């Protein structure tokens, strides 16, 4: 049996590439920050990976294009990310949580 592990940045990059196929959405690029993050010098991350008991949970911070139906967009992201992570990594995906942190107009660094 081959043992391997994937780093969180590798998983986030896989998700980023997956989202290129989902029209109207993208991961944040670190623009939205809390006061605590500014004062501590921490950078905002577009996603958080939690691993426990052989399962993985992904939390994604997304930017949506204005006018997109957010509910449908969230479902599409969840399904796409779940399927790709399961197929390409072999990980057991417990959940894909989606948080929309911004909505931008077409042409305004749109998704």
């Amino acid at each position: 049996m081959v043992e391997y592990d994937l780093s969180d940045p590798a998983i986030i990059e896989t998700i980023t590439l997956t989202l290129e196929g989902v029209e109207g959405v993208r991961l944040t690029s670190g623009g939205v920050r809390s006061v605590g993050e500014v004062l501590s010098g921490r950078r905002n991350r577009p996603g958080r990976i939690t691993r426990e008991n052989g399962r993985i949970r992904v939390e994604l911070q997304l930017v949506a294009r204005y006018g997109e139906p957010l509910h449908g967009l969230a479902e599409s992201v969840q399904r796409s990310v779940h399927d790709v992570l399961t197929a390409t990594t072999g990980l057991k995906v417990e959940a894909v949580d989606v948080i929309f942190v911004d909505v931008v107009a077409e042409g305004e660094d749109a998704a």
Side-chain angles (χ1 to χ4, degrees):
M1 179 187 284
V2 176
E3 293 286 326
Y4 72 96
D5 192 21
L6 295 169
S7 69
D8 289 357
I11 292 171
I12 293 296
E13 186 61 26
T14 299
I15 292 168
T16 300
L17 293 171
T18 300
L19 293 181
E20 288 180 2
V22 180
E23 185 71 26
V25 68
R26 65 173 169 77
L27 284 172
T28 62
S29 57
V32 179
R33 298 174 70 185
S34 71
V35 173
E37 288 172 326
V38 172
L39 294 177
S40 70
R42 290 188 317 239
R43 298 190 63 192
N44 187 26
R45 296 183 184 159
R48 182 174 27 193
I49 310 294
T50 307
R51 301 169 198 238
E52 188 173 320
N53 299 325
R55 298 176 89 54
I56 185 171
R57 181 181 203 104
V58 180
E59 179 184 289
L60 303 175
Q61 294 188 16
L62 303 175
V63 175
R65 185 171 48 218
Y66 176 75
E68 294 289 333
L70 298 180
H71 183 265
L73 202 52
E75 287 179 342
S76 181
V77 166
Q78 289 170 321
R79 184 174 41 259
S80 296
V81 169
H82 178 278
D83 292 350
V84 164
L85 290 180
T86 300
T88 63
T89 68
L91 296 170
K92 294 179 182 173
V93 181
E94 181 177 276
V96 177
D97 299 319
V98 170
I99 301 169
F100 289 105
V101 296
D102 202 2
V103 175
V104 295
E106 189 76 39
E108 187 184 304
D109 195 22

